[in-house]
Amino acid sequence: MQVLGTSVTIPYDTRRGNFNRAYFEKQVSLRRTHAQPLQQKFLPVLKPGLSLSPSLLRDKSFVCKASPVISWVDENVLKKLKPYAELSRIGAYGPAVRLHSWPAFWSIMLATKPGTIPDLKLFGLYYVMSFIIFTSGCVSNDLADIKYDSKVERCKTRPLVSGEITPVQGWLFWAFLISLLIPLVLQLNKLCIALAAVEQVLWLAYPLMKRVTYWTPAFLGLVQSWGATLGWAAVKGNLNDVHIFLPVHIAGICWTMVYETIYAHQDKNEDKEAGVKSIALLFGDSSRTWLLGFATICIGSLMFAGYNANMGWPFYLSMIPAYGHLLWQTYAVDLSNGLDCYMKFRTTKWFGAIVMAGMVLGRIVY
């Protein structure tokens, strides 16, 4: 493969209507600086999410300029440890951990008295916990999905599928991560410790849901949003105010349904062949209608929780751009283009940030 000014041929997946994302994620970073027809002097430089025009296609491939990508893992992790870094998705740590952290942060803000500053130490503690919970969840998920991942194109390079890590090594690594989580959880109250234990059981059960139900993202939402309950318990020490933390948990589940349904559409053809029960296959052409419904329930639940917690007017104002972001994801995504689904999924973190900013301002102005 030649790069930097010369051509790179990348496989084009005719079934999914886009180029092979697993290939460019592993090999090259595609960045757009200009686009000109192939017959002119410069080849086009493409980035993930751009549609391919017929003029760019050559049989079942297309040609572009590209530059090699050096990831954080490649630069900072020892060679022998790289498979474990890939298994735990440390390279995707920031965005993914934020998805897991936001529901807990929302509940902590709602549990904070109006006009007061929340416990910043609790935010930091839960963020570190989220990192370990997320990484251990990725490990257990891949361990349960070795057979299925071998049939999905973008998953074939994962360490367990490629044989870089054995299942025994994978489980030992999972146990190591859990051992790091225990001393952090012990700093919380007894109720939080019990809730954290339940969350780990749910994480272990999550991969099995793909075998029995199409509604796996709903179960993932239950787990991903578990912090909404745990965060409230960490501040209050009880679960008495169900009318506040439960709507946040419901909002988190619906939010997860939005971004996981979009994410699922990139693998729907492989999932069908592998026999995986995918929500994208269940919703099919009605996916946008379902996404709109989940987005609306999500915003409504957050507003209900904010009202019960006496949030100030800036919080309700923030629901406008928050809802707008979900609507943009719903109607701008090309569900027939797996790469575009992935790129829209990557913008999910901004929704959590918008809601959080509204809650902070809603506590200051009350």
Side-chain angles (χ1 to χ4, degrees):
M1 180 179 66
Q2 295 179 316
V3 298
L4 297 178
T6 56
S7 65
V8 177
T9 302
I10 297 181
Y12 182 79
D13 192 331
T14 55
R15 292 180 306 163
R16 297 174 64 182
N18 57 41
F19 55 91
N20 189 323
R21 184 168 68 82
Y23 180 91
F24 81 73
E25 280 188 330
K26 193 73 177 177
Q27 303 295 339
V28 296
S29 172
L30 305 178
R31 297 175 295 157
R32 182 187 185 187
T33 57
H34 59 269
Q36 298 186 36
L38 287 176
Q39 62 269 23
Q40 294 189 19
K41 182 177 180 180
F42 298 104
L43 293 172
V45 179
L46 303 180
K47 71 175 183 178
L50 290 180
S51 300
L52 298 178
S53 65
S55 63
L56 296 180
L57 295 179
R58 294 295 181 268
D59 297 322
K60 292 185 178 181
S61 65
F62 73 93
V63 182
C64 69
K65 280 169 49 178
S67 59
V69 58
I70 300 177
S71 68
W72 178 89
V73 172
D74 291 328
E75 287 186 324
N76 298 281
V77 179
L78 295 175
K79 185 176 181 179
K80 290 184 178 181
L81 298 180
K82 284 181 182 178
Y84 295 95
E86 294 175 4
L87 177 62
S88 58
R89 313 291 199 280
I90 289 179
Y93 151 67
V97 172
R98 282 192 286 274
L99 296 185
H100 184 269
S101 300
W102 285 129
F105 290 174
W106 298 342
S107 275
I108 292 172
M109 284 305 307
L110 290 170
T112 302
K113 293 181 180 180
T116 61
I117 300 175
D119 187 349
L120 298 181
K121 179 183 176 182
L122 187 58
F123 278 110
L125 178 63
Y126 195 81
Y127 192 79
V128 176
M129 287 174 55
S130 290
F131 168 64
I132 300 175
I133 291 170
F134 167 73
T135 53
S136 64
C138 289
V139 173
S140 61
N141 182 75
D142 281 12
L143 283 164
D145 281 350
I146 296 175
K147 182 178 71 173
Y148 291 94
D149 285 348
S150 64
K151 299 178 182 179
V152 178
E153 188 62 36
R154 68 180 180 85
C155 300
K156 289 181 179 179
T157 58
R158 290 180 175 176
L160 287 166
V161 178
S162 65
E164 293 179 274
I165 297 177
T166 67
V168 173
Q169 291 172 324
W171 281 116
L172 289 174
F173 182 50
W174 176 85
F176 168 72
L177 292 172
I178 296 300
S179 70
L180 297 179
L181 181 63
I182 292 174
L184 298 175
V185 175
L186 291 177
Q187 296 183 47
L188 302 173
N189 57 53
K190 292 181 179 180
L191 177 58
C192 288
I193 295 173
L195 290 171
V198 173
E199 182 176 8
Q200 280 304 310
V201 174
L202 294 175
W203 271 114
L204 290 172
Y206 163 65
L208 305 178
M209 295 297 106
K210 301 173 188 177
R211 282 71 156 168
V212 298
T213 179
Y214 285 97
W215 290 87
T216 307
F219 188 87
L220 176 62
L222 174 69
V223 185
Q224 280 277 69
S225 304
W226 197 257
T229 302
L230 201 154
W232 184 270
V235 177
K236 296 293 187 179
N238 60 65
L239 297 178
N240 295 335
D241 299 296
V242 180
H243 60 297
I244 298 178
F245 71 82
L246 184 58
V248 178
H249 206 144
I250 293 173
I253 293 174
C254 291
W255 179 38
T256 305
M257 287 298 300
V258 172
Y259 64 74
E260 279 295 313
T261 299
I262 292 174
Y263 189 85
H265 270 275
Q266 66 178 323
D267 296 327
K268 55 189 174 185
N269 292 322
E270 287 92 339
D271 286 343
K272 185 176 182 179
E273 292 176 4
V276 175
K277 295 182 182 295
S278 168
I279 198 72
L281 297 175
L282 177 65
F283 291 165
D285 295 336
S286 301
S287 291
R288 294 191 201 279
T289 302
W290 283 96
L291 291 175
L292 177 61
F294 290 127
T296 303
I297 296 173
C298 174
I299 295 298
S301 297
L302 286 172
M303 293 182 69
F304 183 69
Y307 175 80
N308 290 332
N310 298 314
M311 272 289 175
W313 62 266
F315 166 72
Y316 302 101
L317 190 62
S318 72
M319 292 295 99
I320 297 175
Y323 193 38
H325 179 82
L326 294 179
L327 292 179
W328 171 75
Q329 283 185 303
T330 297
Y331 290 102
V333 65
D334 181 358
L335 295 176
S336 64
N337 185 323
L339 188 58
D340 190 51
C341 291
Y342 176 72
M343 297 309 293
K344 292 299 186 296
F345 165 79
R346 284 178 61 88
T347 67
T348 298
K349 58 188 177 184
W350 298 113
F351 173 81
I354 293 169
V355 174
M356 186 64 183
M359 287 186 172
V360 171
L361 294 175
R363 273 294 175 246
I364 297 174
V365 181
Y366 64 98

